Amino acid sequence: MDLQDINSLADDPSSVPMPIRVGVIIAIFALIVFMGFKVFVADKFVNLEQRENTEVTLKKTFESKQLKASQLPAYRKQLEEMRFSFGTLVKQLPGETEIPELILDISEKGIFHGLEIDLFKPGNEIHQEFYIIKPITLQSRGTYNQLASFVSDISGLSRIVTINNINLVPTKDKRLSMTATINTYRYAEAHVKK
């Protein structure tokens, strides 16, 4: 078959043998199916894959939220316990009017245990978000047992009091000189619910 035969086939398709006609029809049909697939169906596969990925993401989000929701009663109970604990701790913080009384209690405990108090100086208040720190600089002298009893009594107060920056130095008379910062705390009333 040469080029002239192909041109004559195009002019008179009825002269083409049957197997060639069937082959051409199948080729044209295959081309139509392929083009239809590319135009109409191929984009749907990409869209399907994106939606399957979205489904997986949404399913993970749902499972995470479902787990949190199933733990909600436990979270609520824990929140109630935290509110109760917070209320208890706030009650342990003295109010502004109780600070002088607390300072007096600390001073009296030192004298009660036989300490010689060289310096008892309340400092400026340090404001934090929910509470205010009132530092007190303390310099005292006494025996080890007197100092230990004093510190033990301070820790036993019904209010929150911390002792920081403790420095013990032996003195010439075989006693100890203690320098420390005693911090008392009170709540910042603007943050506490009435």
Side-chain angles (χ1 to χ4, degrees), residues 52-83:
E52 285 173 346
N53 291 338
T54 302
E55 177 188 11
V56 169
T57 304
L58 289 174
K59 192 172 187 179
K60 286 180 183 177
T61 303
F62 172 75
E63 288 170 353
S64 169
K65 288 182 180 182
Q66 183 182 22
L67 179 64
K68 287 179 184 177
S70 69
Q71 296 173 346
L72 184 61
Y75 286 144
R76 285 188 175 150
K77 183 178 178 186
Q78 186 179 16
L79 179 63
E80 267 313 303
E81 290 172 1
M82 288 171 60
R83 283 184 178 152

Side-chain angles (χ1 to χ4, degrees), residues 106-107 110-111 114-122 136-142 147 150 163-169 171 175-182:
I106 293 169
S107 175
I111 293 170
L115 298 179
E116 294 177 29
I117 298 178
D118 297 327
L119 176 66
F120 191 86
K121 180 182 175 188
I136 302 166
T137 303
L138 173 73
Q139 290 178 352
S140 61
R141 286 178 284 141
L147 292 170
F150 170 71
I163 301 177
N164 303 314
N165 306 323
I166 298 175
N167 185 18
L168 296 173
V169 178
T171 61
R175 294 173 26 168
L176 293 172
S177 173
M178 179 177 78
T179 304
T181 303
I182 299 173

Side-chain angles (χ1 to χ4, degrees), residues 86 89-90 92-96 99 124-135 160 162 164 183-192:
F86 179 73
L89 291 174
V90 165
Q92 287 182 334
L93 295 174
E96 192 169 356
I99 289 288
N124 294 329
E125 292 183 337
I126 301 167
H127 293 267
Q128 301 293 328
E129 185 175 358
F130 293 102
Y131 59 93
I132 298 170
I133 302 171
K134 179 73 170 179
I160 298 174
T162 60
N164 303 314
N183 289 324
T184 63
Y185 301 84
R186 70 178 174 89
Y187 57 84
E189 286 144 9
H191 293 285
V192 177

